Amino acid sequence: MTGCVVVENGVIKKVIPRGGRTPAHADAVIDGKGLTLLPAFIDLHAHFRDPGFPGKETLESASLAARAGGYATVVCMANTKPPLDTFEAARSLRERSAALGLIDLHPAVALTKGMEGKELSGIKRGLMKQGNHALSIPDPPLLFSEDGKDVLDDALFLEALAAAAQLGSPVSCHCDNGGVEAEKAKQSGEPREVWSRIEENNATERAIRLGSQAGCALHIAHVSTKEAVAMIRDAKRKNPRVTCEATPHHIALAEKTAALLGAESFGRVNPPLRTEEDRRAIIAGVAGGVIDAIATDHAPHAAQDKAGGAPGFSGLETAFAVCCTELVRNGVVSLQKLSSLMSAAPARILGLKDRGVIREGLRADLVFVDTEAEWIVEPSAFKSRGKNSAFAGRKVFGKTLATMRAQAMRVVTV
Ligand code: DOR
């Protein structure tokens, strides 16, 4: 929009279009002329590595990276050490994050204890709370996820999905486990691109089937195969509670880039960068509305871990630019649609009704972007400790310049 946003006590008080009457007084005025003001981004999927892996990332470095990338709200995954498998652990991380005051962090809670796939996690005690309000257990998390492990036992997975349904929180499924068929392909020496495709496709089919059976809101993480896109398109026709995300790296890159970077080292990610045909299917899914949201899957690693094959890319600080370049400049979607993929849609999936768009009465989580800025990705400049970007040295368009969060603001932006 062009115009003025009036913020008071962290809330958007007024949105005044160009030419409208701006307030006579303000404690502070931020002049964003020539820039674009968007709702701050909301990431459904990041790995903060805290507690347990300070060599890769810390709560502070990840939060600074999020802010630099335009994010004010982030869901971080449970694959920490120890894993986040209780509501209390999630609350304590959330409180540490609140003390830093950089972003609004929502830790996902694992579905099983220790992410071992044997018994239900704190999700079970969460259910007890529903029946007994005297128990002092924090509110349910905004999202549950077993991360890349999935829950292999069907009965236990179904129990977890039903518990999430009862608590009203969606479950994010990473769909990395393809059962016997994928295992057989792996054992018989098939290349990664073959067995990992079977993994994702089988796991997606299973998650949709069991999620629908349990009646829970099911979110499919980092969709990367054309078959999974098709399955999700079909599933959505029958069950509108199925949603999904795509990552900037699966939107922008394919197997060729992985090979150049080192398919088993600096180019390795789960799920892998796939064929050009898969990448096009993801882009068509974004354009056609099958893909609901863009999530970073920010996966910071130390250089020696990456050289040794640790999967994933540091993604918070390049997500907007990569998507602006690949989707907006290439004419796939408008800037408004990209904003909705990065803010309004994730807010809807998480049930956060107080943010995601610039509207009177909502949180003043905002980001200034320059859509024309042209820059070269230089990971050494990242706030994240993870310098493992698949975009290092690439020219991209679109820069996040300043992320503002509700709490601290009493300003007018012009
Ligand atoms: O490549 C990945 N790495 N994909 C994931 O989903 C998890 C992540 C990690 O934790 O390193």
Side-chain angles (χ1 to χ4, degrees), residues 45 47 49 79 147 174 176 222 269-271 297 299 301 311-312:
H45 185 165
H47 298 269
R49 313 292 191 214
N79 62 338
D147 201 61
H174 288 219
D176 283 336
H222 48 41
V269 64
N270 286 336
D297 193 6
H301 289 291

Side-chain angles (χ1 to χ4, degrees), residues 91-106:
R91 177 164 66 178
S92 120
L93 185 59
R94 188 163 154 67
E95 281 170 1
R96 279 179 55 217
S97 172
L100 286 177
L102 291 165
I103 55 166
D104 187 27
L105 184 68
H106 289 271

Side-chain angles (χ1 to χ4, degrees), residues 274-306:
R274 300 204 188 266
T275 64
E276 188 54 27
E277 210 182 331
D278 291 304
R279 188 180 82 85
R280 286 215 199 98
I282 304 287
I283 290 181
V286 169
V290 176
I291 310 275
D292 298 273
I294 286 163
T296 65
D297 193 6
H298 175 73
H301 289 291
Q304 71 270 22
D305 297 347
K306 208 54 205 142

Side-chain angles (χ1 to χ4, degrees), residues 51-174:
F53 302 97
K56 295 177 190 281
E57 193 76 289
T58 64
L59 180 59
E60 186 170 5
S61 61
S63 307
L64 287 168
R67 282 289 288 255
Y71 290 87
T73 305
V74 176
V75 173
C76 62
M77 286 295 149
N79 62 338
T80 50
K81 202 162 94 191
L84 295 166
D85 62 359
T86 65
F87 292 10
E88 290 82 357
R91 177 164 66 178
S92 120
L93 185 59
R94 188 163 154 67
E95 281 170 1
R96 279 179 55 217
S97 172
L100 286 177
L102 291 165
I103 55 166
D104 187 27
L105 184 68
H106 289 271
V109 167
L111 295 170
T112 71
K113 202 169 166 185
M115 295 181 92
E116 285 174 352
K118 292 187 186 129
E119 54 180 308
L120 288 190
S121 66
I123 196 170
K124 199 167 181 180
R125 276 185 71 215
L127 284 180
M128 282 161 63
K129 186 200 173 195
Q130 299 268 306
N132 177 0
H133 286 273
L135 280 176
S136 102
I137 298 170
D139 286 335
L142 289 185
L143 191 88
F144 288 99
S145 181
E146 195 77 343
D147 201 61
K149 289 192 129 184
D150 296 346
V151 179
L152 302 189
D153 181 81
D154 275 7
L156 189 64
F157 189 26
L158 200 51
E159 207 184 325
L161 294 168
Q166 208 170 323
L167 291 167
S169 308
V171 177
S172 168
C173 292
H174 288 219

